C-alpha cells in the first residue's frame, strides 16, 4: 500500500500533469519497487489557485463582479489540461462536469457578494474548489488513459472539528471512515488534498501543509508502506541551494532533523503535517516530479549511517533580537516566567532563546516585523521593574539572521561547536547570540545579516568535508611572479582538489591597467584574455572595496607587485578577516611600528599575513626563523647572501665581458627586482636583512642598516633604468677592477649581509676558498643562523633564492597553508 502526494507545482501545468500521470502509471505497472496493493494519490490545487480563490472570495465581498474574470482564468487552466490530455471525443463530458463544479463556485460567490461578508467557514468552502477541480480533471485524464482510477472527495473520509481555516482532525472517526472506504476499493484512489468536513458535512481545510497532511492521515490510518511526497526539488538539501551553491541532496534524514531544519526555513516539507505518519513510523520519501529518477530524501525514524556529523544547515534570514537585562533578574525566580507568559499571552512566536548562566540577561529572537510591538508590550508589562531599575531598558537589535546547524550526528559528538565558532571567527563573523537545544541536534547562532551568505558557505564548506574547501583569491600584479603563480595554480588545481580538498578560486585580479572581479571565479586557462577584454580600468581602492563587499569566506589577498602604495590596504584587509600573502617586501621593511601593527592585526583577526618569499624567494627562511622563535631559541648572529641577482652577477661576470650585459641577463632570467637598481644599490638586501632581524626579535628601523654600496655614485644617481644601464657600461672598468683584485688573491666577490649585536651591515666582501660562501653558484642564496641552540655549528639554509618559478611556488605554498589553516 502506498500513498503518493503531488503538490501545486507538480499539477501546475499540462506538462507537469503529464509527468504525474506517467509516475502514477509506473506505480500501477509495478515499476516502482515499493509497489504492493492499493495506490492512493493525493493532489493539491494547481499551483497558485488556492491564493487566487482567497483573492476571489475577498473581491466578491466588495460587491463588484471583477472576480468573475479570475474565475474564468481558473476555469481556463483546467479546461486547457482537458484539451491537451483527454481524447477529443471524451472531452465534452469532462468539460460539462468541470463546468458544473465551477457553477457551484459561482453560485457561492454570488451569495458572498450579496451578503458582502466572508466567514472562515465560507472561505474554506471556496478554497476547497482548488483541490476538487485539480483532482477531478487529473482523475479524468488518468481514466482516459485506460488506468482504473476513482475520484475521492476527502470530505467523505476526513472528519474534523469546526475550526475553519485550521481544522482539528477527529482521528477516531476519520480512521474508521478511511478503513471502511479502502476495504472496498481496488482502483487507484484520487484524493483531494487539504480538505475535510465536520460531522455536519460543512467543508473545512487543514491549514499549512494541508495536502501533505491528507496523505499522512490516510497513510497512517491504513498503515501504508510508504508515503511519497512529490514536489519540484530533489528532496531535502544540505542547505538552501540559492544561498549555498555547493548544497547537495540529503539521502536520508530523521523526522527530528527534518523538523529542526524546517523550523529554520528549509521549506521542502512541513513536518508537523506529517506527524500522523511519523507516529506510525511510516517512511516518507520526498521526490521530484520533474526529475523522477532521482532518489530524493527518505524521512524516517532512523537515518542511515552518515558520512557527516551534521545533516543540514538552515537559516532564518531576518530576525530581531530582544534583550532583557538588569541586576533585578539575578536569582529572582519568575522574571523569565513572566516574560514568556507575556509573550505567550500575546501570541508572539519566539524563534530562539538564550540566557547566560549569570541570569543577568535573556535575549530572544523574533520576527522583526513584530519587534516594535513586542517592545511596547514588554515596556508596559515590565514598567514597574524598569521604573525601579531592576530591569534596564529593553533593547531591540535588528538586521540579524539565525543560522542553525542540524544533525543527529551532533549528539554526544564533541568539537562541533568548536568547529562552528572557529570557522565563523576566522571569517570575521561576529556571533551575537547562541542557542543549543538540549536535544543536541541543533546549534543555532545569531549573526549580522550582512554576513549570512559568507557564514552559510563557510560552514557548509567545513562541515561537508568530502567537498573541497573553497579558498577565494584576489591577485594584484600579473607580472612575472603573478602570472607564474597563476600558471602553477592552474596546473595543481586537480591535485589540490582531490588530495588537499582545497578548491582554489581566483575571484579577482588586477595589474596597473585592468582589473577583473568575478565571484564565481575566473578560469585560469584564459584569464589573460578575459582580463584584457572584460577588465575595467584599475582602481586599487575600488578593487579592495569590492573584495570587502563580496565578503566571501576564506579570502586571501595576494600582492605580487613591488608597489609601495598597496601596502596601505593590508591593514584594512586583515581587519576585514582577509589574509594577505606577498613577496613584496615594502610592508615589512618600512617603520617598525607598521610591521608590528600588521602582525598584530592578523593575530587579532585570526587570519594570516604570510611573506615567506620576502627573503630567499621560496627557500624556507622566514618559516625557519619563526619556528626557532616560537620554540624559544635566541638569535646571536645572522650571516647571509640574500641577493640572487648579485650572486648570479658575481658568479657570471668575467674580465672581458660587459658587466651591464650580465645585469641584463639577470633581469631576463627573472632574478632582479622590477627595478634592477634596487638589487645593485643594495636596497633589496638591506630590506631582507632588516626583515630577518625583525623576525628574529630585534626591532630595527631601516636607518639602522649600514649599506656599503658597490655602485659608483653616477650609477646610484641614474634617474631611469636605461640611464642606469648606460652608467653601468661607462663604469665597466671599475667592476672589472673589483673582480681582478679579488681573483689575484684567490678570492671571490660576495655581497654579504650580517647581523650581530643589534647591528646590520651589508656590502661587497671578497671571500677566500675556506669561507662557506665561497662555493656558492648561480643565483643561490645562503643564510647561516647562529643561535643559542645552534651555537657550535650554525643552521644553514641554501639554494636558489630568486627566479619566477621558485618565488611563485613560495607564494603558492603560503596560500595553500592558509587553506589548511582555515580548514
Ligand atoms: N623575481 C624574484 O625572484 C622575486 C621577486 N619578489 C617580489 O615579487 C614582486 C613581483 O615581482 P615581479 O613579478 O618580478 O614584478 P613585475 O614588474 O613583473 O610585475 C608587477 C605586477 O604588478 C602590477 N602592479 C604594480 N603596481 C600595481 C598597482 N598599484 N595596482 C595594480 N597592479 C600593479 C604590474 O602591472 C605588474 O603586473 C616584487 O615585489 C618582487 O620584489 C620576491 C622574491 C623573489
Ligand atoms: N631581486 C631579488 C629577488 C628576490 O627577492 C634577488 O635578486 O634576490
Ligand atoms: Na623564503
Amino acid at each position: 500500500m502506498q500513498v503518493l502526494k503531488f503538490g501545486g507545482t507538480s499539477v501546475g501545468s499540462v506538462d507537469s500533469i503529464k509527468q504525474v500521470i506517467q509516475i502514477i502509471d509506473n506505480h500501477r505497472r509495478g515499476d516502482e519497487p515499493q509497489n504492493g496493493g492499493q495506490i492512493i494519490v493525493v493532489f493539491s490545487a494547481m499551483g497558485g489557485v488556492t491564493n487566487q480563490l482567497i483573492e476571489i472570495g475577498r473581491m466578491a465581498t466588495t460587491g463588484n463582479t471583477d472576480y468573475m474574470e479570475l474565475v474564468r482564468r481558473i476555469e481556463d487552466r483546467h479546461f486547457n489540461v482537458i484539451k491537451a490530455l483527454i481524447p477529443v471525443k471524451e472531452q465534452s463530458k469532462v468539460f460539462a462536469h468541470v463546468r458544473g463544479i465551477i457553477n457551484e463556485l459561482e453560485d457561492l460567490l454570488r451569495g458572498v457578494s450579496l451578503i458582502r461578508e466572508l466567514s472562515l467557514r465560507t472561505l474554506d468552502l471556496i478554497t476547497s474548489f482548488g483541490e476538487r477541480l485539480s483532482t477531478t480533471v487529473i482523475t479524468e485524464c488518468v481514466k482516459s488513459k485506460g488506468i482504473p482510477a476513482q475520484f475521492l472527495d476527502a470530505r467523505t473520509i476526513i472528519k474534523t472539528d469546526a475550526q475553519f481555516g485550521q481544522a482539528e482532525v477527529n482521528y477516531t472517526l476519520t480512521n474508521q471512515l478511511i478503513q471502511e472506504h479502502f476495504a472496498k476499493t481496488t482502483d487507484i484512489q484520487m484524493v483531494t488534498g487539504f480538505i475535510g468536513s465536520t460531522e455536519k458535512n460543512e467543508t473545512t481545510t487543514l491549514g499549512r501543509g494541508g495536502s501533505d497532511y491528507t496523505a499522512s492521515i490516510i497513510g497512517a490510518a491504513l498503515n501504508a508502506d510508504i508515503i511519497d511526497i512529490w514536489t519540484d526539488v530533489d528532496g531535502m538539501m544540505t542547505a538552501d541551494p540559492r544561498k549555498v551553491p555547493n548544497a547537495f541532496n540529503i539521502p536520508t534524514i530523521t523526522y527530528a532533523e527534518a523538523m529542526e531544519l524546517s523550523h529554520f526555513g528549509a521549506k521542502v516539507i512541513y513536518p508537523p503535517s506529517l506527524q500522523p505518519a511519523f507516529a506510525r513510523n511510516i517512511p516518507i520519501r520526498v521526490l521530484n516530479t520533474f526529475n523522477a529518477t532521482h532518489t530524493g530524501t527518505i524521512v524516517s525514524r532512523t537515518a542511515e549511517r552518515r558520512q557527516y556529523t551534521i545533516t543540514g544547515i538552515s537559516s532564518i534570514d531576518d530576525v530581531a533580537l530582544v534583550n532583557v537585562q538588569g541586576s533585578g533578574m539575578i536569582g529572582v525566580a519568575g522574571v523569565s516566567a513572566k516574560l514568556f507568559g507575556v509573550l505567550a499571552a500575546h501570541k508572539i512566536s519566539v524563534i530562539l532563546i538564550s540566557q547566560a548562566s549569570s541570569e543577568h540577561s535573556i535575549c530572544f529572537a523574533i520576527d522583526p516585523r513584530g519587534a516594535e510591538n513586542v517592545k511596547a508590550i514588554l515596556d508596559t508589562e515590565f514598567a514597574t521593574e524598569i521604573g525601579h531599575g531592576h530591569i534596564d531598558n529593553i533593547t531591540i537589535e535588528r538586521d540579524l539572521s539565525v543560522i542553525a546547524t542540524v544533525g543527529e550526528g551532533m549528539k554526544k559528538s564533541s568539537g562541533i561547536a568548536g568547529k562552528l565558532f572557529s570557522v565563523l571567527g576566522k571569517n570575521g563573523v561576529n556571533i551575537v547570540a547562541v542557542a543549543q537545544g538540549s536535544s543536541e541536534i541543533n546549534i543555532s547562532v545569531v549573526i549580522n545579516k550582512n554576513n549570512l551568505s559568507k557564514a552559510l558557505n563557510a560552514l557548509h564548506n567545513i562541515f561537508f568535508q568530502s567537498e573541497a574547501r573553497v579558498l577565494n583569491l584576489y591577485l594584484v600584479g600579473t607580472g612575472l611572479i603573478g602570472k607564474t603563480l597563476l600558471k602553477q595554480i592552474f596546473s595543481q588545481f586537480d591535485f589540490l582538489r582531490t588530495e588537499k580538498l582545497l578548491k582554489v578560486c581566483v575571484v579577482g585580479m588586477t595589474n596597473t591597467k585592468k582589473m577583473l572581479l568575478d565571484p564565481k571565479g575566473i578560469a585560469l586557462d584564459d584569464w589573460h584574455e578575459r582580463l584584457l577584454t572584460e577588465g575595467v580600468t584599475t582602481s586599487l581602492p575600488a578593487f579592495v572595496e569590492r573584495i570587502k563587499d563580496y565578503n566571501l569566506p576564506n579570502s586571501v589577498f595576494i600582492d605580487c607587485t613591488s608597489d609601495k602604495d598597496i601596502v596601505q590596504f593590508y591593514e584594512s584587509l586583515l581587519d576585514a578577516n582577509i589574509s594577505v600573502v606577498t613577496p613584496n617586501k615594502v610592508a615589512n621593511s618600512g617603520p617598525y611600528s607598521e610591521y608590528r601593527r600588521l602582525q598584530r592585526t592578523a593575530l587579532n583577526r585570526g587570519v594570516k599575513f604570510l611573506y615567506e618569499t620576502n627573503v630567499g624567494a621560496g627557500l624556507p627562511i622566514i618559516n625557519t626563523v619563526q619556528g626557532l622563535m616560537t620554540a624559544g631559541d635566541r638569535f646571536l648572529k645572522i650571516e647571509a647572501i640574500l641577493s640572487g641577482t648579485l650572486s648570479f652577477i658575481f658568479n657570471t661576470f668575467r674580465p672581458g665581458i660587459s658587466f651591464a650585459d650580465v645585469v641584463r641577463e639577470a633581469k631576463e632570467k627573472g632574478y632582479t627586482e622590477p627595478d634592477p637598481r634596487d638589487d645593485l644599490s643594495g636596497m633589496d638586501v638591506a630590506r631582507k636583512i632588516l626583515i630577518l632581524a625583525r623576525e628574529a626579535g630585534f626591532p630595527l628601523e631601516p636607518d639602522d642598516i649600514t649599506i656599503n654600496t658597490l655602485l659608483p655614485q653616477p650609477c646610484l644617481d641614474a634617474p631611469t633604468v636605461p640611464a642606469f644601464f648606460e652608467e653601468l657600461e661607462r663604469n665597466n672598468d671599475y667592476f672589472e677592477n673589483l673582480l681582478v683584485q679579488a681573483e689575484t688573491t684567490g678570492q671571490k666577490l660576495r655581497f654579504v649581509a650580517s647581523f650581530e649585536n643589534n647591528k646590520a651591515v651589508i656590502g661587497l666582501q671578497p671571500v677566500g676558498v675556506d669561507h662557506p660562501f665561497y662555493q656558492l653558484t648561480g643565483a643561490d642564496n645562503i643564510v647561516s643562523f647562529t643561535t643559542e641552540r645552534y651555537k657550535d655549528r650554525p643552521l644553514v639554509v641554501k639554494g636558489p633564492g630568486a627566479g619566477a618559478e621558485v618565488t611563485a611556488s613560495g607564494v603558492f605554498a603560503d596560500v595553500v597553508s592558509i587553506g589548511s589553516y582555515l580548514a
Side-chain angles (χ1 to χ4, degrees), residues 476-482 510-513 538 540 560-563 566 583-585 613 617 670-674 684 801-804 807:
V476 184
T478 57
L480 182 66
I481 306 302
T510 176
N511 54 36
T512 39
K513 297 195 179 75
T538 295
L540 214 48
C560 279
T561 75
S562 55
D563 196 280
I566 293 181
N584 184 349
K585 297 153 203 122
T613 48
Y671 301 147
T672 68
E673 290 304 291
D684 181 65
T807 305

Side-chain angles (χ1 to χ4, degrees), residues 267-287:
K267 294 199 177 59
V268 181
I269 51 170
Y270 180 59
S273 67
L274 301 172
Q275 190 53 42
F278 293 174
R280 301 216 54 166
N281 201 11
I282 298 170
I284 289 164
R285 281 193 302 191
V286 182
L287 297 164

Side-chain angles (χ1 to χ4, degrees), residues 339-490:
L339 176 63
F340 292 108
V342 168
L343 295 176
H346 289 86
K347 291 201 159 41
I348 293 154
S349 150
V350 175
I351 296 166
L352 163 156
I353 304 163
S354 171
Q355 176 176 22
S357 62
S358 71
E359 299 181 39
H360 178 249
S361 71
I362 297 178
C363 69
F364 56 93
I366 54 168
D367 184 330
R369 286 168 296 188
E372 283 315 319
N373 181 35
V374 170
K375 178 164 160 52
I377 291 169
L378 294 179
D379 281 344
T380 313
E381 297 279 352
F382 285 94
T384 319
E385 289 87 342
I386 295 170
H388 288 131
H390 296 155
I391 290 182
D392 304 342
N393 278 335
I394 290 163
T395 59
I396 310 256
E397 270 180 86
R398 290 175 177 279
D399 297 323
L400 302 173
S401 301
V402 186
I403 293 188
T405 52
V406 169
E408 303 264 4
M410 294 178 2
K411 269 188 205 162
K412 309 201 167 43
S413 146
S414 57
I416 311 269
K419 210 168 178 179
L420 184 142
F421 294 132
S422 127
V423 173
L424 295 182
K426 283 173 183 170
N427 280 293
V429 178
N430 180 42
I431 295 170
V432 183
V434 188
Q436 172 174 5
S438 57
S439 68
E440 290 189 48
I441 72 165
N442 174 348
I443 301 176
S444 300
V445 291
V446 179
I447 61 167
N448 283 319
K449 197 176 166 183
N450 61 0
N451 280 325
L452 177 63
S453 164
K454 174 159 87 170
L456 280 172
N457 282 284
L459 289 174
H460 194 274
N461 212 225
I462 204 83
F463 279 113
F464 296 101
Q465 289 251 339
S466 72
E467 141 202 346
R469 266 93 65 206
V470 179
L471 200 54
N472 292 301
L473 307 186
Y474 299 91
L475 174 67
V476 184
T478 57
L480 182 66
I481 306 302
K483 72 170 187 253
T484 310
L485 175 67
L486 291 175
K487 189 191 71 184
Q488 292 182 357
I489 294 174
F490 180 59

Side-chain angles (χ1 to χ4, degrees), residues 29 32 37 89 122 129 135 175 183 246 283 306 330 399 412 414 460 466 579 619 635 655 689 699 760 799:
R29 291 167 187 276
E32 271 290 312
K89 58 181 188 321
T122 309
F129 281 86
T135 310
N175 288 348
N246 288 337
R306 301 302 192 11
I330 302 172
D399 297 323
K412 309 201 167 43
S414 57
H460 194 274
S466 72
S579 293
L619 294 177
F635 282 78
I689 193 72

Side-chain angles (χ1 to χ4, degrees), residues 481-614:
I481 306 302
K483 72 170 187 253
T484 310
L485 175 67
L486 291 175
K487 189 191 71 184
Q488 292 182 357
I489 294 174
F490 180 59
S491 70
Q492 277 306 91
F493 188 83
D494 290 338
F495 173 85
L496 288 176
R497 200 172 172 141
T498 54
E499 302 303 316
K500 299 281 166 208
L501 293 181
L502 216 56
K503 185 179 166 206
V504 179
C505 187
V506 178
V507 185
M509 54 174 67
T510 176
N511 54 36
T512 39
K513 297 195 179 75
K514 296 245 171 161
M515 65 177 194
L516 175 68
L517 288 126
D518 181 351
K520 289 204 267 324
I522 300 165
L524 294 187
D525 48 356
D526 69 343
W527 65 266
H528 194 241
E529 181 64 23
R530 255 194 96 183
L531 182 61
L532 279 180
T533 53
E534 290 176 41
V536 296
T537 306
T538 295
S539 151
L540 214 48
F543 189 75
V544 170
E545 267 329 293
R546 287 278 286 281
I547 296 175
K548 292 182 189 167
D549 282 350
Y550 284 164
N551 202 10
L552 296 176
N554 307 341
S555 296
V556 184
F557 178 88
I558 308 169
D559 171 14
C560 279
T561 75
S562 55
D563 196 280
K564 293 184 179 56
D565 297 330
I566 293 181
V567 172
Q568 64 179 314
F569 296 106
Y570 288 8
E571 192 177 358
S572 78
L573 285 159
L574 293 168
D575 238 342
N577 290 81
I578 295 158
S579 293
V580 175
V581 172
T582 187
N584 184 349
K585 297 153 203 122
V586 174
N588 285 327
S589 55
Y592 180 78
S593 56
E594 277 174 22
Y595 161 84
R596 196 66 194 144
R597 213 172 47 236
L598 291 174
Q599 308 275 329
R600 282 280 138 209
T601 309
L603 203 62
N604 291 340
R605 286 290 168 191
V607 291
K608 295 286 177 187
F609 173 41
L610 299 182
Y611 41 83
E612 175 54 85
T613 48
N614 272 191

